[in-house]
């Protein structure tokens, strides 16, 4: 090999190697969130209300509060995750997310109509959460609940909006 | 193969026609190196390389750093200890800072030796000296950002001196700190300086520095005539560039080796304004730090301000003092001696500072404590830091939790370390040998059961030896560690002989008039006791203490158990 082309190869190789050894740790750090859980909290069923306080067939709003939420370097205690509508039927309780599946507005209970309604774009839902009018692509999102020792527990989740299927966000 | 190459060339032609990039490349690479390529010319390129490493690692770190007094330490701890290769990137940035200082000084000394600051290169020398100042400004502002003990206290020294500047000191200090003392604005200001203002200035000066360097070319050795130098002149590419690249690779290798060896940069415990911390600056500020020790009292401020002024003043004045055309060092001994003296003095002061610390017992002890605190704080930070930030990391410590729980749940009735109410037995050294001995001698003393409803036990009347044996027997119920077996056995005999066993069982299960001694004060015993002290084997019907099984989570009970077990171990 000629001296000049040897130097060319060596220089090119050195430059590529230097680029690589700097890029590797940098990319490792930047892509760190892909490999680990950065946020956590609220995956477990959380107590939201006493069963005795719920009236049969009348939706009651309850706030879901996580004991602990981790967010990167922080640990937050008693964090409100969101709100749910609780509907009691005898000894069982169902829960509907207050987030409208259409565009994420807060769905309200309208007692005189005995129905849920979204103030933003007028989606309407019946007591079971089924969509009865307006632009919402699906029923209100139901959440897993259980009743234990007189307490109502809800596993809080968020779902993707503007989809006809209910997919976790 | 050939056709692919041709395609590349066509793309290149297309781009060149529109941008003229080939001309720029050629101009950059064909720069003549007068007198030929040399290894001694690599330092400037190495500085540029180190600057690039600093910029790349700095930008990436900025993507996971949060400048506020509540989040700075926790975010750095998270980056360093929990994100992939965070320790390595941060370590590189710290090693890079040291490398910049070393390389800049080598570069400067070489330029001085070669007389390269002489006409027509004076302006470029001044730009270089300014960049040296910028490197120190980077170091000073960057050191504070992690908001750990070291950065906090070391930077205090620098800002206090700044504040002591005659006339304008107070105003400048308030401007720099963004207030009267260290706080959120101090961090955001230092951060803005470190990541926006200083880099912009550095890039600008570097560009000018290189442009002027290209205008005047390298300064070859003072030996050799112009004809000889011209004969040996080669283009920058490839001979010099390859040398530069090889030096950069060696530099990076050295930095990476250093980072691996030291497991990255230090991160001490979060800044604590109430702690006593004997701060040391980074090594490149040690000479200044040491200098201040030699100028106590009123002379300190003039010395602290004067030393950098003398250093930078001398350097800036150099091309205007040494104006002769001769670049041979033997003809410029005076000037070289001045420069040499300044740097030798700095090195001497730095070494002296190291020596002082190495011989100081107090400093060593302080260092050990700081290292221990740092390791503990970083371990606790893995659980996440509460919103109060920084120092709140200590709240993750089980001891801290235990004290807090104890304060909330127990000190309404019990005394502990000077706090609480005296309505129940003291928890200071609870169930240690001394506690048991005192209890046996005088159970109705206010430290024991004096303030409770329980007054059924009679003081143990016996000689010192007998009480010691009984104490050993009761103490041994909590666990066998450190128990004198012979003494315990003697105590067990006495327990029967002195009729203790008419009220106290010792099988661990039976209920009698007094508490069962079996397993007393062991972790399992404590757990059951705290859950329900009214069980028959504990205080039974005489119990007045709440059942914490209903009130505390099992993890909280464990925290209290651990604290009480450690009280038992106290002398």
């Amino acid at each position: 090999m000629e001296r000049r082309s040897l130097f060319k190869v060596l220089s090119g190789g050195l430059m590529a190697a230097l680029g690589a050894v700097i890029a590797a740790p940098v990319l490792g750090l930047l892509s760190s969130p892909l490999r680990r859980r950065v946020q956590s909290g609220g995956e477990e069923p959380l107590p939201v209300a006493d069963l005795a306080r719920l009236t049969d067939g009348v939706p009651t709003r309850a706030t879901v509060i996580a004991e602990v939420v981790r967010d990167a370097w922080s640990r937050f205690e008693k964090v409100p995750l969101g709100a749910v509508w609780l509907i009691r039927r005898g000894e069982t309780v169902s829960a509907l997310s207050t987030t409208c599946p259409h565009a994420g507005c807060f769905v309200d209970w309208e007692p005189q109509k005995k129905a849920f309604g979204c103030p933003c774009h007028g989606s309407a839902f019946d007591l079971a959460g089924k969509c009865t009018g307006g632009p919402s692509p699906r029923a209100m999102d139901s959440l897993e609940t259980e009743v234990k020792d007189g307490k109502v527990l809800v596993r809080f989740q968020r779902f993707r909006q503007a989809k006809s299927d209910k997919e976790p966000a | 193969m050939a056709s692919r190459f041709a395609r590349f060339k066509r793309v290149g032609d297309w781009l060149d026609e529109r941008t003229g990039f080939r001309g720029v490349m050629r101009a950059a690479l064909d720069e003549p190196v007068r007198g030929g390529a040399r290894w001694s010319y690599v330092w400037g390129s190495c500085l540029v390389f180190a600057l690039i490493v600093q910029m790349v690692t700095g930008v990436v770190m900025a993507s996971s750093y949060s400048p506020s007094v509540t989040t700075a330490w926790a975010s750095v701890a998270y980056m360093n200890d929990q994100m992939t290769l965070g320790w390595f990137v941060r370590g590189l940035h710290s090693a890079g800072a040291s490398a910049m200082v070393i390389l800049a000084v080598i570069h400067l000394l070489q330029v001085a030796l070669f007389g390269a600051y002489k006409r027509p290169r004076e302006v470029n020398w001044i730009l270089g000296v300014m960049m040296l100042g910028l490197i120190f400004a980077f170091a000073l502002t960057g050191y504070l950002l992690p908001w750990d003990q070291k950065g906090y206290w070391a930077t205090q020294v620098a800002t206090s001196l700044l504040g002591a500047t005659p006339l304008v000191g107070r105003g400048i200090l308030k401007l720099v700190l963004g207030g009267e003392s260290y706080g959120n604005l101090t961090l955001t200001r230092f951060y803005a300086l470190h990541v926006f203002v200083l880099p912009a200035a550095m890039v600008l000066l570097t560009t000018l520095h290189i442009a002027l360097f290209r205008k005047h070319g390298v300064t070859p050795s003072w030996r050799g005539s112009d004809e000889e130098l011209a004969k040996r002149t080669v283009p920058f590419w490839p001979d010099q560039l390859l040398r530069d690249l090889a030096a950069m690779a060696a530099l990076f290798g050295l930095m990476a080796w250093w980072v691996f060896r030291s497991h990255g940069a230090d991160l001490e415990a979060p800044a604590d304004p109430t702690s006593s911390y004997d701060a040391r600056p980074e090594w490149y500020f040690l000479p200044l730090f040491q200098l201040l020790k030699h100028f106590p009292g009123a002379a300190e401020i003039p010395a602290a301000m004067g030393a950098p002024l003398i250093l930078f003043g001398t350097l800036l004045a150099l091309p205007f003092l040494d104006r002769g055309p001769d670049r041979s060092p033997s003809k410029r001994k005076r000037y070289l001696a001045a420069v040499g003296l300044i740097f030798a003095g700095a090195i001497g002061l730095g070494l002296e500072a190291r020596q002082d610390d190495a011989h100081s017992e107090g400093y060593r002890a302080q260092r050990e404590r700081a290292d221990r605190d740092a390791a503990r704080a970083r371990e606790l930070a893995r659980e996440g830091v509460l919103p109060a930030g920084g120092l709140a990391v200590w709240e993750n410590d089980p001891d801290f939790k235990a004290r807090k729980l104890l304060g909330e749940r127990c000190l309404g009735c019990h005394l502990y370390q000077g706090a609480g109410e005296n309505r129940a037995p003291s928890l200071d050294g609870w169930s240690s040998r001394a506690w048991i001995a005192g209890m046996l001698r005088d159970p109705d003393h206010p430290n024991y059961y004096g303030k409770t409803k329980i007054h059924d036990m009679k003081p143990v009347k016996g000689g010192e030896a007998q009480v010691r044996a009984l104490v050993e027997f009761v103490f041994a119920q909590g666990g066998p560690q450190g128990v004198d077996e012979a003494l315990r056995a003697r105590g067990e005999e006495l327990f029967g002989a002195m009729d203790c066993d008419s009220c106290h069982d010792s099988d661990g299960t039976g209920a009698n008039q007094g508490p069962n001694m079996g397993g007393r004060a062991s972790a399992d015993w404590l757990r059951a006791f705290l859950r329900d002290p009214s069980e028959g084997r504990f205080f039974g019907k005489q119990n007045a203490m709440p059942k914490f099984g209903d009130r505390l989570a099992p993890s909280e009970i464990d925290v209290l158990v651990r604290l009480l077990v450690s009280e038992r171990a106290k002398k």
Side-chain angles (χ1 to χ4, degrees):
Chain A
M1 204 187 275
E2 262 181 79
R3 184 164 179 274
R4 212 179 145 85
S5 32
L6 174 70
F7 273 32
K8 220 177 199 174
V9 170
L10 280 175
S11 300
L14 271 173
M15 255 188 266
L18 281 174
V21 290
I22 296 175
V26 158
L27 293 177
L29 179 57
L30 280 179
S31 63
S32 183
L34 295 179
R35 283 180 297 279
R36 65 183 59 240
R37 224 184 154 129
V38 176
Q39 283 108 358
S40 66
E43 289 87 1
E44 298 296 305
L46 297 166
V48 292
D50 291 328
L51 183 65
R53 279 189 45 240
L54 304 179
T55 316
D56 221 70
V58 179
T60 307
R61 206 173 119 183
T63 309
V64 185
I65 296 174
E67 275 303 306
V68 175
V69 170
R70 289 287 307 272
D71 181 2
W73 54 82
S74 294
R75 189 177 81 240
F76 302 105
E77 290 177 350
K78 308 250 183 297
V79 183
L81 295 177
V84 291
W85 287 109
L86 299 176
I87 301 136
R88 178 173 177 180
R89 297 270 181 223
E91 292 308 296
T92 61
V93 175
S94 57
L96 295 174
S97 168
T98 57
T99 309
C100 182
H102 172 230
C105 292
F106 193 98
V107 178
D108 241 327
W109 172 246
E110 293 162 359
Q112 61 282 22
K113 291 192 202 159
K114 290 207 181 309
F116 289 104
C118 178
C120 294
H121 308 96
S123 292
F125 308 89
D126 67 14
L127 188 58
K130 214 179 95 200
C131 184
T132 56
S136 178
R138 61 172 191 260
M140 284 169 79
D141 298 313
S142 59
L143 297 163
E144 289 170 36
T145 60
E146 57 183 283
V147 178
K148 209 167 147 187
D149 303 333
K151 296 254 184 225
V152 181
L153 287 83
V154 173
R155 201 168 87 84
F156 188 77
Q157 259 188 305
R158 292 189 180 279
F159 301 94
R160 295 181 63 182
Q161 281 138 27
K163 296 258 179 186
S164 54
D165 290 325
K166 178 177 154 191
E167 296 169 34
Chain B
M1 191 70 203
S3 75
R4 188 177 302 163
F5 194 75
R7 197 172 307 149
F8 264 132
K9 196 173 170 304
R10 270 212 308 283
V11 172
D13 290 344
W14 184 91
L15 204 61
D16 187 42
E17 193 188 334
R18 281 148 188 88
T19 62
F21 80 98
R22 282 190 181 131
V24 177
M25 290 283 287
R26 213 169 300 126
L29 293 174
D30 290 350
E31 175 214 0
V33 180
R34 239 160 74 83
R38 282 168 166 275
W39 283 103
S40 59
Y41 297 158
V42 301
W43 303 110
S45 301
C46 281
L47 270 167
V48 173
F49 175 72
L51 182 65
I52 291 171
V53 170
Q54 292 306 82
M55 287 174 142
V56 173
T57 51
V59 168
V60 184
M61 288 202 298
S63 74
S64 47
Y65 170 73
S66 173
S68 78
V69 297
T70 47
T71 56
W73 185 84
S75 65
V76 175
Y78 181 76
M79 176 205 312
N80 200 92
D81 297 338
Q82 294 190 65
M83 294 181 85
T84 314
L85 290 174
W87 65 274
F88 189 75
V89 172
R90 189 166 162 264
L92 267 186
H93 198 72
S94 161
S98 290
M100 297 259 326
V101 174
I102 296 171
L103 291 168
V105 170
I106 294 176
H107 188 52
L108 180 141
L109 288 178
Q110 188 186 9
V111 168
L113 186 72
F114 275 55
Y117 49 70
K118 284 172 180 276
R119 188 181 166 220
R121 296 184 175 88
E122 298 96 322
V123 173
N124 220 14
W125 167 261
I126 291 169
L127 288 174
V129 174
M130 285 165 72
M131 286 199 281
L132 181 67
L134 273 187
I135 290 174
F136 286 126
F138 266 114
L140 192 70
T141 49
Y143 211 53
L144 180 69
L145 297 183
W147 205 251
D148 64 345
Q149 286 283 64
K150 198 168 160 180
Y152 182 86
W153 291 105
T155 313
Q156 291 276 355
V157 179
T159 53
S160 316
L161 289 173
L162 184 69
T165 315
L167 300 172
V168 290
R170 280 171 63 115
I172 290 186
L173 186 65
K174 206 167 168 185
L175 206 62
V176 169
L177 300 189
E180 289 74 21
S181 59
Y182 278 30
N184 276 322
L185 281 176
T186 315
L187 263 181
T188 48
R189 281 172 178 243
F190 272 54
Y191 184 62
L193 281 173
H194 191 78
V195 307
F196 296 114
V197 180
L198 295 175
M202 190 59 129
V203 168
L204 179 71
L205 291 188
T206 305
T207 310
L208 291 174
H209 196 68
I210 293 174
L212 285 188
F213 163 72
R214 293 296 300 264
K215 179 177 165 66
H216 299 300
V218 294
T219 310
S221 166
W222 55 89
R223 286 182 286 262
S225 63
D226 281 350
E227 299 81 62
E228 274 178 283
L229 290 175
K231 213 169 68 194
R232 291 208 302 269
T233 295
V234 294
F236 177 67
W237 159 256
D239 291 45
Q240 186 62 46
L241 181 62
L242 188 60
R243 282 176 172 80
D244 287 0
L245 283 170
M248 291 174 196
L251 171 65
F252 188 86
L254 214 60
M255 279 161 59
W257 169 79
W258 178 266
V259 175
F260 272 112
R261 211 199 62 137
S262 59
H263 307 291
D266 285 341
L267 178 65
E268 299 215 336
D272 181 358
T274 65
S275 69
S276 65
Y277 185 90
D278 196 3
R280 293 291 176 277
E282 261 307 76
W283 66 266
Y284 32 78
F285 288 126
L286 268 182
L288 188 58
F289 166 84
Q290 185 69 13
L291 189 72
L292 298 187
K293 288 201 216 159
H294 295 294
F295 290 90
E300 185 170 14
I301 301 306
M305 304 274 152
L309 280 180
I310 291 173
L311 169 72
F312 281 96
T314 310
L315 291 178
L316 289 173
L318 204 56
F320 306 102
L321 299 172
D322 177 18
R323 292 200 302 197
D326 205 331
R327 293 197 291 107
S328 165
S330 57
K331 307 271 171 56
R332 300 160 43 240
K333 282 183 190 137
R334 239 187 316 166
Y335 305 106
L336 293 179
V339 174
L341 212 65
I342 286 176
F343 284 97
I347 291 172
L349 282 167
L351 290 177
E352 189 189 18
R354 281 279 154 93
Q355 280 297 311
D356 283 4
D357 285 344
H359 292 135
S360 158
E361 198 62 51
Y363 180 72
R364 253 211 316 273
Q366 198 273 141
R367 263 317 328 147
E368 276 168 24
R369 201 169 57 239
D371 288 342
R372 234 184 4 252
D373 284 354
R376 182 88 187 109
R378 284 163 67 174
E379 191 53 44
L380 293 171
R382 289 176 178 274
E383 294 169 31
V385 179
L386 287 169
L391 284 175
V393 77
W394 296 115
E395 292 184 33
N396 295 353
D397 193 326
D399 276 0
F400 184 94
K401 278 187 203 152
R403 274 155 205 279
K404 201 166 160 220
L405 259 177
L406 204 72
E408 289 165 1
R409 300 304 193 138
C410 313
L411 299 193
C413 295
H414 294 275
L415 281 173
Y416 185 66
Q417 297 187 347
E421 300 283 332
N422 185 6
R423 284 190 266 173
S426 162
L427 299 180
D428 282 316
W430 179 82
S431 285
S432 61
R433 286 188 178 89
W435 191 95
I436 297 169
M439 193 331 256
L440 293 180
R441 285 288 191 197
D442 186 3
D444 282 338
H445 186 278
N447 269 357
Y448 304 106
Y449 292 90
K451 299 285 179 94
T452 69
K453 297 187 298 187
I454 304 169
H455 301 290
D456 299 337
M457 181 164 152
K458 290 188 257 329
V460 172
K461 300 253 186 320
E464 189 65 28
Q466 285 179 314
V467 172
R468 269 186 49 222
L470 271 176
V471 166
E472 200 65 11
F473 170 67
V474 175
F475 181 79
Q477 300 300 322
Q481 282 99 338
V483 168
D484 180 336
E485 182 46 39
L487 198 59
R488 189 205 66 80
R490 167 107 185 88
E492 188 167 11
E493 279 167 33
L494 285 169
F495 192 73
M498 295 173 81
D499 234 9
C500 307
D501 61 354
S502 65
C503 293
H504 297 281
D505 291 353
S506 51
D507 60 353
T509 52
N512 199 334
Q513 227 176 320
N516 195 314
M517 289 292 114
R520 188 181 172 285
S522 66
D524 285 339
W525 184 93
L526 269 165
R527 224 168 272 131
F529 177 79
L530 290 176
R531 271 202 297 270
D532 184 3
S534 69
E535 271 185 34
R537 61 177 163 144
F538 303 129
F539 288 116
K541 290 199 177 64
Q542 289 190 303
N543 177 58
M545 177 167 146
K547 298 177 188 177
F548 285 101
D550 306 337
R551 299 158 190 241
L552 294 176
S555 64
E556 292 178 308
I557 289 187
D558 283 347
V559 161
L560 287 176
V561 166
R562 204 158 346 153
L563 180 124
L564 289 170
V565 165
S566 72
E567 285 300 313
R568 175 180 169 269
K570 283 187 180 161
K571 287 276 178 293

